[in-house]
Amino acid sequence: MKQFVALSGLPRTGSTLLSAILSQNPNIHAEGNSAVCQLMWDMQQSVGNSEQLKANNKDLLDAVVKPIPHTYYSDIKKPIVVDKCRSWTLPANIQMLNRYFDNTPKVIVLVRPVVKIVASFMSLRKANGWQDLEAGLLDNGSEPIMRSLAGVEWARKNNNGEFLFVSYDELVDKTQETLDRIYEHCGWETFEHNLGNIVNTHKENDDVYNLVGQHDIRPQINRRTIDVELSNELIDRCNRLDEWSLYENKNVGSQFN
């Protein structure tokens, strides 16, 4: 692995689509949701809080945490890994990126208006037979939306050039232009992608998430029909979050860079 790039941001923003497109490049490995961030955090906490290590004056943090990404991707021979995890934008995890990687990784942050994210989740729930389509989606500190939203907002306020913000609309409506921005941000050599035949070569088992179809993509880029009705209370909550976090701005790329 010569370069580690973090793919983060909000859910239902096209991360599976983007990963599938990037995977067409023979130099790039981009799979589904990764456990690297969680494994690094768990090991850091375990080592940092170990009474035995403290009692014996052993500082093993770098020695045991730093190899985790390389171990996780030990079977991958491609020089570039795009690691997908919504938690990368949280401050503590950015600290891990800065500490355990020789060169601070670039971070691609995908965003979308909260009301559209919520509608997309409700549509998925409806297709999977859920009864209460709205339950818990915007509970304070909850996954997958609210915790990710806090991380994205922190990244927006603390962007020193490592974060590239990409909106769902940009990815879908201006795909090639968006890919050009991503390649420039990451310092990659240009590659001609086939946007007429996109295949997800790293399919996840969506049964684990109890949302079958969550990571399905189609060969050509287009928008899905969302046939759900949000309550007025939920719409108001979404609008307040969108106003607070500025994701409604149509020119996301220039706003955040």
Side-chain angles (χ1 to χ4, degrees):
M1 190 196 311
K2 294 182 179 179
Q3 186 184 17
F4 184 96
V5 174
L7 175 58
S8 191
L10 298 171
R12 311 305 299 162
T13 53
S15 60
T16 305
L17 171 63
L18 177 57
S19 295
I21 295 173
L22 294 178
S23 291
Q24 293 177 348
N25 187 328
N27 289 322
I28 298 176
H29 176 79
E31 60 182 52
N33 288 299
S34 164
V36 167
C37 181
Q38 188 66 56
L39 290 171
M40 292 177 69
W41 173 259
D42 290 345
M43 182 59 74
Q44 179 178 256
Q45 295 301 107
S46 178
V47 173
N49 295 323
S50 171
E51 292 181 348
Q52 291 78 15
L53 292 176
K54 292 176 181 178
N56 289 281
N57 297 316
K58 290 183 178 293
D59 183 4
L60 299 180
L61 266 179
D62 286 0
V64 298
V65 178
K66 193 170 183 178
I68 289 175
H70 302 277
T71 302
Y72 190 88
Y73 290 110
S74 61
D75 60 327
I76 304 301
K77 307 306 178 185
K78 299 180 180 182
I80 301 169
V81 166
V82 177
D83 185 86
K84 175 182 170 182
C85 177
R86 287 188 298 270
S87 297
W88 277 127
T89 51
L90 294 171
N93 296 332
I94 291 298
Q95 291 176 6
M96 290 198 304
L97 287 179
N98 293 332
R99 173 167 182 167
Y100 299 116
F101 290 86
D102 294 332
N103 298 308
T104 301
K106 299 292 186 180
V107 184
I108 303 166
V109 185
L110 300 180
V111 296
R112 189 182 189 183
V114 176
V115 67
K116 294 182 179 180
I117 294 173
V118 167
S120 181
F121 268 119
M122 289 175 59
S123 179
L124 267 174
R125 287 179 168 186
K126 181 179 180 181
N128 279 269
W130 287 43
Q131 297 301 311
D132 191 341
L133 304 184
E134 297 186 357
L137 282 174
L138 297 181
D139 287 353
N140 290 334
S142 64
E143 290 279 15
I145 298 176
M146 296 302 291
R147 192 163 178 262
S148 303
L149 188 64
V152 169
E153 177 65 6
W154 184 91
R156 184 185 70 81
K157 293 178 178 178
N158 295 275
N159 190 6
N160 295 310
E162 67 271 43
F163 301 109
L164 176 69
F165 289 79
V166 175
S167 75
Y168 176 82
D169 288 343
E170 289 174 323
L171 180 60
V172 172
D173 297 332
K174 301 178 180 178
T175 309
Q176 186 57 57
E177 180 181 327
T178 300
L179 289 173
D180 291 343
R181 288 178 53 219
I182 291 172
Y183 269 68
E184 180 181 3
H185 179 71
C186 296
W188 297 336
E189 293 183 6
T190 57
F191 178 83
E192 185 175 346
H193 289 275
N194 183 356
L195 301 181
N197 185 29
I198 303 170
V199 179
N200 184 2
T201 56
H202 302 284
K203 291 185 178 180
E204 295 184 65
N205 180 7
D206 287 337
D207 288 333
V208 174
Y209 309 111
N210 197 25
L211 282 175
V212 175
Q214 181 175 200
H215 296 104
D216 288 351
I217 61 171
R218 285 158 290 181
Q220 290 82 37
I221 298 173
N222 51 54
R223 297 175 184 270
R224 298 180 186 273
T225 300
I226 304 296
D227 184 22
V228 293
E229 185 174 342
L230 283 67
S231 66
N232 290 334
E233 181 181 354
L234 186 58
I235 292 174
D236 289 342
R237 171 76 165 143
C238 291
N239 289 338
R240 288 196 300 272
L241 289 170
D242 280 327
E243 181 180 352
W244 164 69
S245 52
L246 303 178
Y247 299 148
E248 285 282 16
N249 190 302
K250 295 181 180 180
N251 194 12
V252 172
S254 62
Q255 176 191 346
F256 288 109
N257 289 302

